[in-house]
Amino acid sequence: MSRTRVLILGGGYVGLFTALTLKRKARGTVDITLLDRRPYMTYAPFLPEAGAGSIEPRHAVVPLRRELKGVKVLQGKVTGIRHADRTVTAATDIGDELSLEYDELVIALGSVSRTLPIPGLADFAIGFKYVEEASAVRNRVLGRIARAATTTDPDLRKRLLTFVFVGGGFAGVEAFAETEDMARAALRYYPELSDEDLHFVMVEAMGRILPEMGPDMGDYTVKELERRGMRVLLETRLEGCENGHVKLSNGEEFEADTVVWTAGVRPAPVLAESDLPLGPKGHVSASATLQVVTEDGEVVPGVWAAGDCAQVPNLVEGEGDWCAPSAQHAVRQARHLGANLAAHLAGRELKQYKHKHLGLVASLGLNKGVASTMGIKLRGWPAWVMHRTYHLLQIPTFNRKARVALDWTTALFFRRDMVSMGRLQEPRRAFEEAARS
Ligand SMILES: Cc1cc2nc3c(=O)[nH]c(=O)nc-3n(C[C@H](O)[C@H](O)[C@H](O)COP(=O)(O)OP(=O)(O)OC[C@H]3O[C@@H](n4cnc5c(N)ncnc54)[C@H](O)[C@@H]3O)c2cc1C
């Protein structure tokens, strides 16, 4: 009997967990291929800690080839999806074009930063969705502190030490608070600088931050961040950041050498060019069985979708509600999708995805956090412990759990590493200088 060719696009939460589930449940009947631009799955909830030096950035990612034995893992960028022909095209890093055929397709392409046409944004700002961005923010912040310590020009010093984060959602607040915590800790080694020299500014268009956690936790977090000396500007929009000249909707203008954009996500853009049915915001339309469906709810045979790139009905909340983009939904949907796909291939009945969101835990720096889960609200150290325990249990593979636990333990005894590795971005510089001198 010939095996069913399953092609999974994307190797993040959904891609990895779908492949693992399918491998187990449809053993011997499927040939699974997984395609991603990166050779690893990113455990995004650890990015703020990786950016803050509490975790080695490599330990916040899971290598796909190592964990997906028996699955064909390809590296490349999806450039086209023609489901009518059951063909996907992809570009490899060396410029070749791949054409992949399949019997069943899983769309697990996640999301990208949702940007706006703000002058300077695309050229000057940086996102915080991938490990390379978290590492770059960390190197930048530590590098700017080192430079600021060597200048006597007060304007330049202020520009170097002004860090603007735009977007006060869950990921943005964590990135903002963790980065500030690291920067403040780094000042210990710079007697030339004082706490007042650091300027951390959060810009949020809505009247509150952390909407996912409710108004009380949002208000608490604003007070907590302000108590630490950070500015949280609510009902304020970024209107420009050309060459670091920041303009805000409240009329303020100032210079900042670092602008981090964490103002939400949108579905992977390649979907817009596919022949798959999309929802109003560009997500692939999926049913509660995680099969792709048309506007009229008719199943499109041979294609499945889940996670940030999919519009999946939230059966807990009822008609018209969709599952929010979160790791919690992504992991559970992926396992559900894998089981449903295996059931479909075996001619069994499919089950509907229904999951009540358990809430969120967020770290705001060492020993600081907020949590809102199953009706329980925690603040400060208990929330931070819950954050670490929860994510240590959740990060895939024992290998990564062990490495992260070791990172934390080492930092407990020797403090976290404060070295800036900005020069990693220009590895040939020293050699070129040597060759020229
Ligand atoms: C900083 C941060 C912190 C977060 N913290 C939490 C948290 O604490 N709790 C929580 O529930 N959620 C959290 N989230 C959200 C969570 O990470 C996402 O909801 C989750 O990653 C979605 O999983 P996914 O598989 O749909 O997408 P992803 O995990 O993003 O995977 C998509 C994959 O597709 C690949 N891809 C994209 N486009 C292409 C292409 N054209 N070709 C090839 N490959 C492609 C990408 O490389 C990626 O590997 C956080 C997100 C961020 C950014």
Side-chain angles (χ1 to χ4, degrees):
M1 197 178 80
S2 70
R3 290 168 176 245
T4 305
R5 295 166 304 168
V6 178
L7 176 60
I8 302 176
L9 303 183
Y13 275 89
V14 174
L16 175 67
F17 284 100
T18 299
L20 288 171
T21 310
L22 195 59
K23 216 173 84 157
R24 201 163 26 88
K25 298 215 174 227
R27 195 180 292 276
T29 64
V30 285
D31 278 333
I32 309 172
T33 302
L34 183 144
L35 172 72
D36 198 293
R37 299 174 78 164
R38 297 173 172 78
Y40 48 76
M41 173 261 189
T42 305
Y43 191 78
F46 275 153
L47 290 183
E49 285 212 48
S54 297
I55 294 174
E56 170 63 39
R58 275 178 299 124
H59 301 163
V61 302
V62 179
L64 292 170
R65 280 181 184 252
R66 179 176 171 145
E67 299 312 326
L68 289 176
K69 296 200 179 77
V71 172
K72 186 172 178 189
V73 176
L74 299 176
Q75 198 176 332
K77 180 180 174 184
V78 177
T79 49
I81 303 170
R82 297 290 314 159
H83 186 58
D85 307 329
R86 303 232 166 184
T87 308
V88 164
T89 49
T92 66
D93 284 349
I94 53 166
D96 289 344
E97 181 165 286
L98 301 176
S99 179
L100 304 164
E101 292 178 0
Y102 58 85
D103 301 311
E104 300 284 340
L105 180 67
V106 178
I107 310 287
L109 289 167
S111 52
V112 296
S113 296
R114 187 188 55 214
T115 54
L116 296 170
I118 294 172
L121 186 69
D123 296 327
F124 191 77
I126 182 165
F128 205 92
K129 251 194 83 59
Y130 296 106
V131 71
E132 52 273 23
E133 292 173 326
S135 285
V137 169
R138 166 186 162 72
N139 287 329
R140 195 174 175 91
V141 171
L142 292 175
R144 293 307 182 264
I145 291 175
R147 283 186 204 177
T150 58
T151 178
T152 49
D153 175 345
D155 292 337
L156 177 60
R157 177 179 282 194
K158 191 164 181 201
R159 177 185 163 110
L160 289 167
L161 294 181
T162 300
F163 307 100
V164 179
F165 284 65
V166 187
F170 183 75
V173 169
E174 272 200 309
F176 180 57
E178 282 280 358
T179 310
E180 188 268 355
D181 194 61
M182 174 198 67
R184 211 159 285 283
L187 289 192
R188 178 184 296 120
Y189 307 107
Y190 293 91
E192 306 89 335
L193 302 173
S194 70
D195 274 358
E196 291 70 45
D197 287 321
L198 278 184
H199 305 282
F200 271 80
V201 184
M202 164 146 282
V203 179
E204 166 55 52
M206 311 292 279
R208 38 109 192 89
I209 60 168
L210 287 179
E212 305 90 338
M213 284 197 173
D216 50 344
M217 296 313 262
D219 291 348
Y220 162 80
T221 307
V222 170
K223 286 196 189 99
E224 173 63 17
L225 297 176
E226 287 178 344
R227 191 190 57 75
R228 283 162 56 178
M230 302 148 92
R231 291 182 74 206
V232 182
L233 304 175
L234 300 177
E235 294 180 340
T236 308
R237 280 170 285 103
L238 178 75
E239 292 192 335
C241 59
E242 277 168 301
N243 298 318
H245 183 74
V246 173
K247 287 187 187 170
L248 302 180
S249 60
N250 64 4
E252 269 190 68
E253 293 191 26
F254 55 87
E255 301 294 316
D257 224 21
T258 306
V259 176
V260 185
W261 182 262
T262 56
V265 293
R266 65 184 169 101
V270 69
L271 296 170
E273 274 126 55
S274 74
D275 59 352
L276 297 172
L278 304 184
K281 293 186 178 166
H283 301 84
V284 184
S285 300
S287 65
T289 54
L290 303 171
Q291 290 165 292
V292 171
V293 288
T294 64
E295 212 180 315
D296 307 328
E298 255 178 62
V299 169
V300 180
V303 57
W304 309 71
D308 282 13
C309 69
Q311 180 179 284
V312 177
N314 185 350
L315 297 186
V316 174
E317 297 300 327
E319 187 80 15
D321 205 82
W322 310 106
C323 296
S326 80
Q328 212 179 106
H329 277 306
V331 172
R332 285 171 176 80
Q333 287 174 0
R335 292 195 178 118
H336 198 91
L337 194 164
N340 265 358
L341 180 43
H344 166 75
L345 297 176
R348 294 195 307 270
E349 207 180 315
L350 306 190
K351 292 193 176 135
Q352 298 206 315
Y353 175 77
K354 187 173 184 181
H355 166 69
K356 186 164 168 39
H357 208 260
L358 302 174
L360 286 164
V361 284
S363 168
L364 301 176
L366 276 185
N367 299 312
K368 308 170 213 46
V370 277
S372 169
T373 167
M374 293 184 288
I376 304 165
K377 307 230 169 181
L378 296 174
R379 295 156 188 203
W381 187 78
W384 178 77
V385 172
M386 189 184 230
H387 158 85
R388 284 205 159 180
T389 313
Y390 175 76
H391 287 299
L392 191 63
L393 293 173
Q394 289 300 313
I395 191 170
T397 80
F398 178 70
N399 176 319
R400 257 39 197 173
K401 290 184 208 305
R403 287 176 196 264
V404 167
L406 271 174
D407 285 346
W408 285 340
T409 313
T410 317
L412 195 66
F413 291 106
F414 300 105
R415 293 204 174 123
R416 57 187 145 170
D417 228 331
M418 287 295 174
V419 66
S420 163
M421 300 292 270
R423 288 281 164 106
L424 280 178
Q425 262 103 47
E426 29 183 9
R428 296 194 63 255
R429 185 166 151 180
F431 185 73
E432 277 175 355
E433 280 173 8
R436 273 200 298 269
S437 62

